[in-house]
Amino acid sequence: MMGSRDKRRMKRKRRAVSRNGQPSHSKGPIFQKRCLQPYQLCDDTSLDAIERQADWLLENVGMEFRGDTAAQELFREAGANVKQERVTLEAGHGRELCKTAPETFKLHSRNPHHTLKLGGDHLVLMPGYGSPFVTDLDQGRRYATIEDFHNYVKLTYSTPFLHHSGGTVVEPTDIPVNKRHLDMVFAHLSLSDKPFMGSVTSVDAANDSIEMARIIFGKDYLHQHAVMQANININSPFVFDETMSSTLRTYAKANQCVCVSPSIFGGAMGPVTPAAIAAQTLAEAMVGIALTQLVLPGCPVMMGSFHSTMNLRSGALTFGTPEANLVTMALSQLGNRLGVPIRSGGGQITASNAPDGQAMSDSANAMWSTLLSGAHQVWHAAGWLEGGLTMSYEKFIMDLDNCGAMLRMLQGMEVSEDTLAQDSYSAVSPGENFLTTDHTLAHYSNANYESLLPDTGPFERWKENGAKRADERANSVWKKMLNDYETPPLEENKLLRLTEYISARKSEMPDKWH
Amino acid sequence: MMGSRDKRRMKRKRRAVSRNGQPSHSKGPIFQKRCLQPYQLCDDTSLDAIERQADWLLENVGMEFRGDTAAQELFREAGANVKQERVTLEAGHGRELCKTAPETFKLHSRNPHHTLKLGGDHLVLMPGYGSPFVTDLDQGRRYATIEDFHNYVKLTYSTPFLHHSGGTVVEPTDIPVNKRHLDMVFAHLSLSDKPFMGSVTSVDAANDSIEMARIIFGKDYLHQHAVMQANININSPFVFDETMSSTLRTYAKANQCVCVSPSIFGGAMGPVTPAAIAAQTLAEAMVGIALTQLVLPGCPVMMGSFHSTMNLRSGALTFGTPEANLVTMALSQLGNRLGVPIRSGGGQITASNAPDGQAMSDSANAMWSTLLSGAHQVWHAAGWLEGGLTMSYEKFIMDLDNCGAMLRMLQGMEVSEDTLAQDSYSAVSPGENFLTTDHTLAHYSNANYESLLPDTGPFERWKENGAKRADERANSVWKKMLNDYETPPLEENKLLRLTEYISARKSEMPDKWH
């Protein structure tokens, strides 16, 4: 289609045109705002019915706060019905208690360029969370180590398509269980300057995370500014275990952001039907959000969800499925009606054991439902494989590429005199091409999102070059990114105080491996 | 999560429950209606601006009908401005000429169960079109033959997730060029009973397609009922070649359905900006639609598009990209405003050379934009690889699986007393599971879409079983489908008349290979 004369002409003309390159190697957050309107899956009648069901659940089932008398007491004082460990709320009371939660808030970074906004038309993408294993095409699947953890923090820092450093991106299994949080938070604070997640394995670990952030940001600063998030899972159905509710209270008290995520596989931790899962997620999340507001009214909080389907014949968990994606879309609407930012559903999730076609199809499907429905934060946007058991270096790159493409799409289609390009038609007759019009030359360098994956070329050339699949082509990309990584600057004295804090804390604790 | 006690209990309870299996082996069209509302990408102001630009293009650029004086004459009689081969239309005239096109119509099948509706909330998925090559994991990439063509017609007939048999699914390169259409239409008519596409390679080939359909459906029937479609591409920018416009006229005269598809790669056959491509596609399509209505007012016609992006540095074509997906979404809206059914954008398209992660990510992205925006017909919904150069047997199965999942999702989320499952909460206490509730047991067999691909199981078992990627697992599926295929019944005398017609026509023509 493009003749050699055209190519020469294009090359010549290009020189006169300023090259407005892709931001693919910038570290700054790009496209942190969406321009596309959220998709409305459910009509108001359906949403009303789901909310009524959530109210019914809180009134008739409620939430057990196991072992956490402080949480029970906070709800009792707020007028809830508390019997033994079970908290129930009259219809509407749960929603009422969530009202002080802010609709939007900032997550501050030590690099102001990386400070994020949650809620509204802002969007925050993050890497995977919690995998005990990693895999790459060179070494295969293995337990994750602190080196892998560092690698993922560096990769996340190096891409403009993830806005947030994440939390327990992978489990550093070579570090004692009771000391991991110190090394992980240290990595987020020193190898990156993007917002991050603190530890939730115990109140002590939460306090360590907060103390370490105070070293970087200053003690007073944290009281007024959220700089980190905590991942608070609910043991669905309707159980808050003590670690979760007490760390929730710890972060809320420090005015740091909690994300409350019920965890429901349809048919196991809730009924099998999507509408029921949406209602139960809303009900459970409201209790967690309410608790944050009882601890500190106005503190930042997100409505999260971790839901998916399972094959009810085999018991296998499944991800990126149509039923799960419907729940994701409905939850974005329900969260918006509740008035808190949403971390909805999945990101790029899959049950596949390899970074293959199924993995990317599942991931793309989950991503569309999450992004188009208007979720504000996307966890597991890169790397996740095997239902979260493994972080794949190659899938991380393939997912990043899709994050970039989706972020580009969310900028929408500009309709203007310039983009309608009326003038360019006077230069081209029917049957001719637009390759060298002034309009094409003015736009060619930034008109289209450019894939991170090396180009394959036509089949014959691709075959000559080893017939590399997408995952094989991604292999060289993460290596180059790690190779090119540069640590963001951090004041020497803060770094020193951090390492001293960690040494002191580690010396107080005997190693625990379970 | 599911203990052995649960599994036993579940198995026991299952016996009492009627098993409402997945329709994955039914041949009937399932989910031919969508329940989800189309996504509205552009607001009215933007759509108005695009439509004004389309009007401007028809007034100021127009369309060249090269060598087709009959088409020129039809437009002249309708009041268009015709100078030499160029037809221009005053603002609004193009849209006016499209007004007799029906908003919805039927595409009839000899099996009433497979008769389709186009337009409204109906949805028709089809296999790929036009690939000269095929590939599978056993034999690799090779020129397609009539055997491959037969295989794809059989596979398409065997799945409930494709509603339409397609056209030149692959090029049967072992048959002389001038005789291929006879064998292809014969295969669609005899190996399947789903609606199909006729040939557009010449007026003779179009007439042969129509005559062969008349043998099956009866001469008078065709005059009143559309039973096939024809793929009419426009040589964008703004050229109708004589073969295309004359075959368009042939099918329209026979009251058969034409799909008019401008073919635009941004930066080559049109400007590089998505808004311009949407406007140009609309303008060009309106001319083709208008021509069908000038031939036979009220005859069925679809607004099609074949647009994508290209890498303007390398000249490589790219598919499933965010910019192309935006155009797809806008075109669904524009087609709806024009009042004709839409074949929009892509289906499961990709430039990847292998059925890998990139292929499925591109495909899923293109599919979401097509389906969620409300397109009525999806071409290339299965099999397409290498920018359409190759049909992959394995990708065909992976794509089918995604078609099934997406069709399931388009049924939406039912919110009802049953799906909210209030009763099931009385049987489950906090912390317990729902695996054996009556509600789960009543719904488990049809609550979730079940993948066509064999289950992988957990990593260790998957590895023991050969660590098969999705494409490798798909390999056994298409073989089983072909093995299980059964020819739909066709009256002996019609079959005989068809073969006699083909023999007679073939004997009149010397073989042509180019």
Side-chain angles (χ1 to χ4, degrees):
Chain A
M1 169 189 321
M2 202 188 301
S4 64
R5 203 180 117 249
D6 280 333
K7 278 192 180 167
R8 275 199 307 278
R9 215 183 130 207
M10 197 160 171
K11 211 165 180 180
R12 214 161 48 230
K13 275 213 185 184
R14 268 180 204 164
R15 290 188 201 118
V17 177
S18 80
R19 179 159 162 182
N20 190 351
Q22 283 285 121
S24 52
H25 297 293
S26 138
K27 294 180 189 69
I30 65 151
F31 300 149
Q32 216 240 304
K33 280 185 96 165
R34 80 171 68 236
C35 300
L36 295 199
Q37 286 303 308
Y39 179 67
Q40 306 297 330
L41 174 75
C42 296
D43 59 17
D44 286 343
T45 311
S46 295
L47 296 171
D48 290 345
I50 293 171
E51 288 173 347
R52 275 197 306 276
Q53 166 79 353
D55 277 352
W56 182 92
L57 287 168
L58 292 185
E59 188 158 8
N60 292 278
V61 183
M63 179 73 71
E64 281 192 10
F65 282 93
R66 294 194 178 160
D68 188 347
T69 51
Q72 294 159 22
E73 191 52 34
L74 282 166
F75 276 103
R76 187 178 289 115
E77 282 168 15
N81 194 347
V82 183
K83 281 189 186 150
Q84 294 175 322
E85 301 191 304
R86 183 93 67 102
V87 172
T88 52
L89 296 160
E90 274 174 37
H93 194 190
R95 180 168 294 266
E96 190 60 33
L97 293 174
C98 295
K99 281 213 169 138
T100 51
E103 264 193 87
T104 63
F105 56 87
K106 282 186 176 170
L107 208 53
H108 294 268
S109 159
R110 65 181 171 93
N111 172 359
H113 190 53
H114 286 158
T115 289
L116 301 172
K117 215 164 168 183
L118 282 158
D121 50 7
H122 291 79
L123 187 63
V124 172
L125 305 190
M126 293 160 57
Y129 185 104
S131 302
F133 298 101
V134 294
T135 189
D136 67 57
L137 291 182
D138 306 307
Q139 296 183 61
R141 185 182 187 259
R142 59 200 187 268
Y143 276 104
T145 63
I146 191 71
E147 187 187 344
D148 294 306
F149 189 93
H150 289 166
N151 284 343
Y152 279 113
V153 171
K154 291 174 182 176
L155 291 170
T156 301
Y157 174 70
S158 303
T159 175
F161 304 136
L162 298 177
H163 309 99
H164 186 301
S165 196
T168 306
V169 187
V170 294
E171 278 289 346
T173 59
D174 52 343
I175 309 283
V177 170
N178 59 335
K179 298 180 177 177
R180 284 177 195 168
H181 66 283
L182 296 163
D183 292 312
M184 290 194 280
V185 172
F186 179 68
H188 285 305
L189 286 171
S190 61
L191 299 178
S192 178
D193 60 16
K194 293 185 177 181
F196 67 102
M197 295 166 83
S199 176
V200 292
T201 49
S202 67
V203 170
D204 282 352
N207 279 324
D208 280 334
S209 305
I210 293 166
E211 282 310 314
M212 289 171 73
R214 282 183 177 141
I215 291 172
I216 297 295
F217 289 90
K219 197 163 184 172
D220 293 340
Y221 188 88
L222 243 66
H223 198 61
Q224 300 296 331
H225 302 84
V227 305
M228 65 176 128
Q229 286 185 293
N231 172 25
I232 302 296
N233 282 325
I234 293 176
N235 286 4
S236 305
F238 302 106
V239 174
F240 247 107
D241 77 27
E242 192 189 351
T243 306
M244 285 289 110
S245 60
S246 57
T247 52
L248 177 152
R249 289 188 289 102
T250 306
Y251 281 103
K253 201 172 158 192
N255 196 31
Q256 300 305 298
C257 173
V258 158
C259 176
V260 181
S261 298
S263 311
I264 307 179
F265 287 91
M269 300 88 134
V272 72
T273 37
I277 298 168
Q280 186 182 325
T281 300
L282 175 63
E284 294 182 349
M286 280 200 289
V287 177
I289 294 165
L291 181 56
T292 64
Q293 301 305 302
L294 293 174
V295 172
L296 184 70
C299 83
V301 60
M302 305 212 39
M303 173 172 147
S305 76
F306 184 70
H307 62 268
S308 200
T309 44
M310 50 190 288
N311 182 327
L312 289 161
R313 299 186 211 282
S314 68
L317 305 181
T318 46
F319 295 91
T321 58
E323 297 80 12
N325 295 337
L326 289 166
V327 176
T328 297
M329 291 194 271
L331 285 173
S332 289
Q333 294 181 279
L334 293 163
N336 275 323
R337 282 162 64 115
L338 186 62
V340 293
I342 322 297
R343 170 237 164 168
S344 178
Q348 307 215 57
I349 55 179
T350 180
S352 179
N353 294 310
D356 60 357
Q358 186 205 329
M360 297 313 291
S361 178
D362 288 347
S363 295
N365 288 341
M367 199 65 165
W368 268 82
S369 68
T370 305
L371 292 177
L372 213 64
S373 64
H376 300 101
Q377 190 171 31
V378 185
W379 297 20
H380 315 308
W384 161 299
L385 212 56
E386 278 182 55
L389 280 179
T390 296
M391 279 282 277
S392 155
Y393 281 88
E394 284 80 19
K395 182 161 185 285
F396 192 89
I397 298 302
M398 293 157 78
D399 285 343
L400 280 193
D401 194 34
N402 202 39
C403 286
M406 293 298 287
L407 288 167
R408 166 65 190 87
M409 198 193 71
L410 290 172
Q411 302 314 297
M413 187 173 96
E414 186 194 330
V415 181
S416 65
E417 208 180 303
D418 178 49
T419 61
L420 288 170
Q422 217 167 72
D423 287 350
S424 71
Y425 288 94
S426 60
V428 178
S429 297
E432 292 186 349
N433 76 52
F434 289 73
L435 291 168
T436 55
T437 62
D438 290 340
H439 186 267
T440 300
L441 291 167
H443 288 82
Y444 88 94
S445 65
N446 60 357
N448 295 335
Y449 171 74
E450 281 184 33
S451 172
L452 294 176
L453 295 180
D455 214 5
T456 58
F459 182 82
E460 292 76 10
R461 199 198 312 154
W462 173 74
K463 207 175 158 190
E464 276 166 30
N465 291 333
K468 287 186 179 167
R469 294 187 313 265
D471 53 331
E472 293 168 315
R473 287 181 286 131
N475 181 270
S476 61
V477 178
W478 65 262
K479 290 175 184 167
K480 182 174 185 333
M481 279 173 76
L482 283 182
N483 196 55
D484 294 349
Y485 166 81
E486 284 175 36
T487 313
L490 178 62
E491 292 104 294
E492 204 62 50
N493 72 318
K494 289 184 177 175
L495 196 61
L496 188 65
R497 282 171 59 206
L498 269 186
T499 51
E500 283 171 356
Y501 181 90
I502 293 169
S503 300
R505 287 288 292 136
K506 283 192 172 178
S507 68
E508 294 165 11
M509 298 183 264
D511 288 357
K512 282 189 188 167
W513 287 98
H514 301 289
Chain B
M1 168 188 323
M2 202 189 301
S4 63
R5 202 179 118 249
D6 280 333
K7 277 193 181 167
R8 276 199 306 276
R9 215 183 130 206
M10 195 159 173
K11 213 166 179 179
R12 215 161 48 230
K13 275 212 183 183
R14 266 180 206 165
R15 290 186 200 117
V17 176
S18 80
R19 181 161 161 181
N20 191 351
Q22 283 285 123
S24 52
H25 297 291
S26 137
K27 294 179 189 68
I30 66 150
F31 300 151
Q32 217 241 303
K33 280 186 98 166
R34 80 170 67 236
C35 300
L36 295 199
Q37 287 304 306
Y39 179 68
Q40 307 296 331
L41 175 75
C42 296
D43 60 17
D44 286 343
T45 311
S46 295
L47 295 171
D48 290 345
I50 293 171
E51 288 174 348
R52 274 197 307 276
Q53 166 79 353
D55 277 353
W56 182 91
L57 287 168
L58 292 185
E59 187 158 7
N60 292 279
V61 184
M63 180 72 73
E64 281 191 11
F65 283 92
R66 294 192 178 163
D68 188 348
T69 50
Q72 295 159 21
E73 192 52 35
L74 283 166
F75 276 103
R76 187 178 288 116
E77 282 168 16
N81 195 346
V82 183
K83 281 189 186 150
Q84 293 174 325
E85 300 191 304
R86 182 93 66 103
V87 172
T88 52
L89 296 160
E90 275 174 38
H93 193 191
R95 181 168 294 265
E96 191 61 35
L97 293 174
C98 295
K99 281 210 168 139
T100 52
E103 264 194 87
T104 62
F105 55 86
K106 283 186 176 170
L107 208 52
H108 294 268
S109 159
R110 64 182 171 94
N111 172 358
H113 191 54
H114 286 158
T115 289
L116 301 173
K117 214 165 169 182
L118 283 158
D121 50 7
H122 291 78
L123 187 63
V124 172
L125 305 191
M126 292 159 59
Y129 185 105
S131 302
F133 299 101
V134 294
T135 189
D136 66 58
L137 292 182
D138 306 306
Q139 296 184 63
R141 184 182 187 258
R142 59 203 186 266
Y143 276 104
T145 63
I146 191 72
E147 188 188 343
D148 293 306
F149 189 92
H150 290 166
N151 285 343
Y152 280 113
V153 171
K154 290 174 182 176
L155 291 170
T156 301
Y157 173 70
S158 303
T159 175
F161 304 137
L162 298 177
H163 309 99
H164 187 301
S165 195
T168 306
V169 187
V170 295
E171 279 288 347
T173 60
D174 52 345
I175 309 283
V177 170
N178 58 334
K179 298 179 178 177
R180 283 178 195 169
H181 66 283
L182 297 163
D183 292 312
M184 291 194 281
V185 172
F186 179 68
H188 286 304
L189 286 171
S190 61
L191 299 178
S192 178
D193 60 17
K194 293 185 177 180
F196 67 102
M197 295 167 85
S199 176
V200 293
T201 50
S202 67
V203 169
D204 282 351
N207 279 323
D208 280 333
S209 306
I210 293 166
E211 282 310 313
M212 288 170 73
R214 283 182 178 143
I215 291 171
I216 298 295
F217 289 90
K219 195 165 184 172
D220 293 340
Y221 189 88
L222 244 66
H223 198 62
Q224 299 296 332
H225 303 83
V227 304
M228 65 176 129
Q229 287 186 294
N231 172 24
I232 303 296
N233 283 324
I234 293 175
N235 285 4
S236 306
F238 303 106
V239 174
F240 247 107
D241 77 27
E242 193 188 350
T243 305
M244 285 289 110
S245 59
S246 57
T247 51
L248 177 152
R249 289 189 288 102
T250 306
Y251 281 102
K253 201 172 159 192
N255 196 31
Q256 300 304 297
C257 173
V258 158
C259 176
V260 181
S261 298
S263 312
I264 306 179
F265 287 91
M269 300 88 132
V272 72
T273 37
I277 297 168
Q280 186 181 326
T281 300
L282 174 63
E284 295 182 348
M286 280 200 288
V287 177
I289 295 165
L291 181 55
T292 64
Q293 301 304 302
L294 293 174
V295 172
L296 184 70
C299 83
V301 61
M302 305 211 41
M303 174 172 145
S305 76
F306 184 70
H307 62 269
S308 201
T309 44
M310 50 191 288
N311 182 327
L312 290 161
R313 299 186 212 281
S314 68
L317 304 181
T318 46
F319 295 92
T321 57
E323 297 80 12
N325 294 337
L326 289 166
V327 176
T328 296
M329 292 193 270
L331 284 173
S332 289
Q333 294 181 279
L334 293 163
N336 275 324
R337 283 162 64 116
L338 187 61
V340 293
I342 322 296
R343 170 237 163 167
S344 178
Q348 308 216 55
I349 54 179
T350 179
S352 178
N353 294 311
D356 61 357
Q358 185 205 330
M360 297 313 291
S361 179
D362 288 347
S363 294
N365 289 341
M367 200 65 166
W368 269 81
S369 67
T370 304
L371 292 177
L372 213 64
S373 64
H376 300 101
Q377 190 171 32
V378 185
W379 297 20
H380 314 308
W384 161 299
L385 212 56
E386 279 182 54
L389 280 180
T390 295
M391 279 281 277
S392 154
Y393 281 88
E394 285 81 19
K395 182 161 184 285
F396 192 89
I397 299 302
M398 294 157 77
D399 285 343
L400 280 193
D401 195 33
N402 201 39
C403 286
M406 293 298 288
L407 288 168
R408 166 65 190 88
M409 197 192 73
L410 290 172
Q411 301 316 297
M413 187 172 96
E414 186 194 329
V415 181
S416 64
E417 209 181 302
D418 178 50
T419 61
L420 288 170
Q422 218 167 71
D423 288 349
S424 70
Y425 288 94
S426 61
V428 178
S429 297
E432 293 186 349
N433 75 51
F434 290 72
L435 290 169
T436 55
T437 62
D438 290 340
H439 186 267
T440 300
L441 291 167
H443 288 82
Y444 89 93
S445 65
N446 61 357
N448 295 334
Y449 172 74
E450 281 184 33
S451 173
L452 293 177
L453 296 181
D455 215 5
T456 58
F459 183 82
E460 291 75 11
R461 199 199 312 155
W462 173 73
K463 207 175 159 190
E464 276 167 28
N465 290 333
K468 287 185 179 169
R469 294 187 313 266
D471 52 331
E472 293 169 315
R473 287 181 287 130
N475 181 270
S476 60
V477 179
W478 64 262
K479 289 175 184 167
K480 181 171 184 340
M481 279 172 76
L482 283 182
N483 196 54
D484 294 350
Y485 165 81
E486 285 175 36
T487 314
L490 178 62
E491 292 105 295
E492 204 61 51
N493 73 317
K494 288 185 177 175
L495 196 61
L496 188 66
R497 282 171 59 207
L498 269 185
T499 51
E500 283 170 356
Y501 181 89
I502 294 168
S503 300
R505 286 288 293 136
K506 282 193 172 177
S507 69
E508 294 165 11
M509 297 184 263
D511 288 357
K512 281 189 187 167
W513 288 98
H514 301 290

